[in-house]
Amino acid sequence: MSKMKTFLFASAAALVTLPAFAETHIMVQDAYARASGLSAKAGAAFMQIMNHGDEADQLIDVRSDIAKRVELHTHKIDDQGVAKMMHVPEGFAIPASGMHELKRGGDHVMFMGLKGKILDGDVVTVTLVFEKAGELVVEIPVDLKRGQMGSEMKMNQGAMDHSNMDHGNMNQGEGAASGASN
């Protein structure tokens, strides 16, 4: 590897390992993105969003060029015990001096209609939009190895089993979520 490539790779690696800040009180850490396979049409991103400020804030939108649609999503269990993934247009509250975690089986960033493959080790750029803090651009590493079912899923594995997941209208049209990764 040439010295220039080594320098660029090291610089990019440093960018994704540092926490991201907005207006000095919002911090994002432990972010990663994934898709369920090379032919997946959908993917997701997960992270911890900390608010070190004295006022609550709200994550109200998310943008990225890697997909046709990017939305804030969560899972809800219906009366039959089936987990349904759904768009959360109002976003997520980030409490003052607190944290909100975007994790598998819960709140997350959803990429629908991926424009290309996301490969292990890639970095995706995502813009988080906060009601008060404004925009925060985050470089998120793709980590397909972290896609294994974690301890947060084992607590209620039956209700959150992805094979029973109803993706609602996301399986139709351009924004199809077949191959979704949560």
Side-chain angles (χ1 to χ4, degrees):
M1 187 180 309
S2 75
K3 287 182 182 181
M4 181 57 123
K5 285 183 183 175
T6 301
F7 172 77
L8 290 174
F9 180 77
S11 298
L15 283 175
V16 297
T17 58
L18 295 175
F21 293 92
E23 303 248 340
T24 68
H25 69 275
I26 297 290
M27 184 176 99
V28 172
Q29 70 178 24
D30 197 27
Y32 72 99
R34 67 174 320 287
S36 61
L38 292 179
S39 62
K41 300 293 182 206
F46 314 99
M47 65 199 76
Q48 295 174 346
I49 304 171
M50 273 99 29
N51 180 353
H52 296 288
D54 295 332
E55 281 187 88
D57 207 338
Q58 186 87 5
L59 176 62
I60 57 173
D61 197 14
V62 62
R63 296 188 297 266
S64 180
D65 292 336
I66 71 164
K68 293 176 184 173
R69 277 186 16 211
V70 183
E71 296 178 345
L72 297 170
H73 276 209
T74 196
H75 291 102
K76 300 273 185 189
I77 307 296
D78 70 12
D79 295 337
Q80 290 76 38
V82 176
K84 293 187 176 193
M85 196 173 356
M86 56 190 355
H87 177 225
V88 183
E90 69 277 8
F92 307 122
I94 315 298
S97 301
M99 187 264 296
H100 187 83
E101 185 171 16
L102 304 185
K103 63 182 181 179
R104 293 194 63 186
D107 299 340
H108 58 279
V109 172
M110 189 76 198
F111 306 116
M112 295 171 288
L114 289 172
K115 294 178 181 177
K117 297 175 184 175
I118 59 173
L119 305 172
D120 198 39
D122 285 353
V123 175
V124 298
T125 302
V126 173
T127 302
L128 303 174
V129 182
F130 295 90
E131 189 173 75
K132 296 176 183 161
E135 294 185 359
L136 173 63
V137 177
V138 183
E139 299 294 317
I140 301 176
V142 175
D143 187 348
L144 302 180
K145 295 172 193 85
R146 285 183 67 176
Q148 303 304 316
M149 190 175 293
S151 60
E152 71 273 4
M153 295 287 285
K154 291 179 185 172
M155 294 185 308
N156 196 0
Q157 195 167 359
M160 294 306 289
D161 181 355
H162 197 281
S163 63
N164 293 331
M165 187 71 61
D166 177 359
H167 291 99
N169 64 4
M170 292 189 319
N171 285 327
Q172 303 167 8
E174 281 188 63
S178 60
S181 59
N182 333 350

